[in-house]
Amino acid sequence: MAEQSERYEEMIQFVKAFIALGGELSVEERNILSVAFKNVVGALRSAWRVLSSIIKKEERRGNADQQARAQTYRDQTEEELKRYCNEICDIVDRDLLPRATTEEGKVFYWKMKGDYYRYIAEFVQGAEKDSVSTQADNAYSEARKISDEQLTPTHPTRLGLALNYSVFFYEILGKT
């Protein structure tokens, strides 16, 4: 019901409740987890891009007050983004990877971890960007190692990993 009504923050709470029950998540439960966090974080990433555009627009106009308001709002959005991204990475490390028994599940979680660190790397700077970029790269590398050894080349999880890892290389590391 939470997904159908697009109440993704509540969906996250429900997901956390069934993770707390223990055991390995089924494919369906993994997908619910993914949808919940992806939609909340996706909305925040979109808001961040809009706010960045407003900041640039107000700077061009010389409207320092509006620029400052937008900057404050973007800073708040960044903190929320970090909170959700770090939360899912903590859940993956603490609860999901240790319980994963299938290679597909392990690749799914390592890829997820890489994705959420990549999302943070999209907006942070300096040493923090270096740190989360390294964490993303390590997670994607682990996922790739397992997928190369255990999943067929056409497996959807392996293909999704290849796509997201290439986005990381291009957008975050600036490599082609």
Side-chain angles (χ1 to χ4, degrees):
M1 226 183 316
E3 182 179 8
Q4 291 171 339
S5 60
E6 297 182 8
R7 297 182 57 89
Y8 300 109
E9 289 176 359
E10 288 177 11
M11 211 172 145
I12 287 174
Q13 298 309 313
F14 295 135
V15 169
K16 287 169 36 178
F18 67 70
I19 289 171
L21 296 174
E24 184 172 12
L25 297 185
S26 68
V27 172
E28 182 180 356
E29 290 167 334
R30 278 198 321 250
N31 288 334
I32 292 169
L33 167 77
S34 182
V35 165
F37 274 93
K38 181 189 244 181
N39 281 287
V40 169
V41 169
L44 289 167
R45 289 171 71 211
S46 179
W48 185 91
R49 287 189 292 272
V50 168
L51 290 165
S52 294
S53 177
I54 291 170
I55 290 166
K56 288 176 186 171
K57 180 178 74 174
E58 296 303 334
E59 182 180 21
R60 282 191 308 271
R61 291 180 176 174
N63 191 343
D65 289 343
Q66 282 297 90
Q67 182 182 353
R69 280 189 200 97
Q71 182 64 52
T72 299
Y73 199 28
R74 187 177 78 177
D75 291 346
Q76 292 170 349
T77 302
E78 288 176 2
E79 289 307 310
E80 259 189 281
L81 258 169
K82 283 182 196 176
R83 184 171 47 85
Y84 280 109
C85 290
N86 286 320
E87 179 180 22
I88 187 58
C89 290
D90 290 344
I91 290 169
V92 166
D93 283 339
R94 182 187 62 240
D95 300 314
L96 302 175
L97 273 171
R99 298 179 197 159
T101 59
T102 67
E103 302 310 313
E104 178 186 1
K106 292 173 188 175
V107 171
F108 182 91
Y109 295 132
W110 281 111
K111 175 192 162 293
M112 178 180 265
K113 191 173 166 183
D115 290 343
Y116 285 92
Y117 281 128
R118 173 171 55 93
Y119 300 154
I120 296 171
E122 290 174 343
F123 63 85
V124 295
Q125 303 293 319
E128 188 176 8
K129 182 172 184 153
D130 293 342
S131 176
V132 294
S133 294
T134 297
Q135 290 174 292
D137 193 24
N138 291 343
Y140 283 135
S141 293
E142 187 62 32
R144 183 170 180 215
K145 178 182 161 198
I146 297 166
S147 74
D148 286 354
E149 294 171 2
Q150 302 294 325
L151 302 180
T152 63
T154 57
H155 192 286
T157 303
R158 185 172 174 181
L159 292 172
L161 168 63
L163 175 64
N164 290 17
Y165 202 7
S166 68
V167 168
F168 168 75
F169 273 108
Y170 183 75
E171 290 185 358
I172 305 302
L173 300 182
K175 297 180 180 179
T176 55

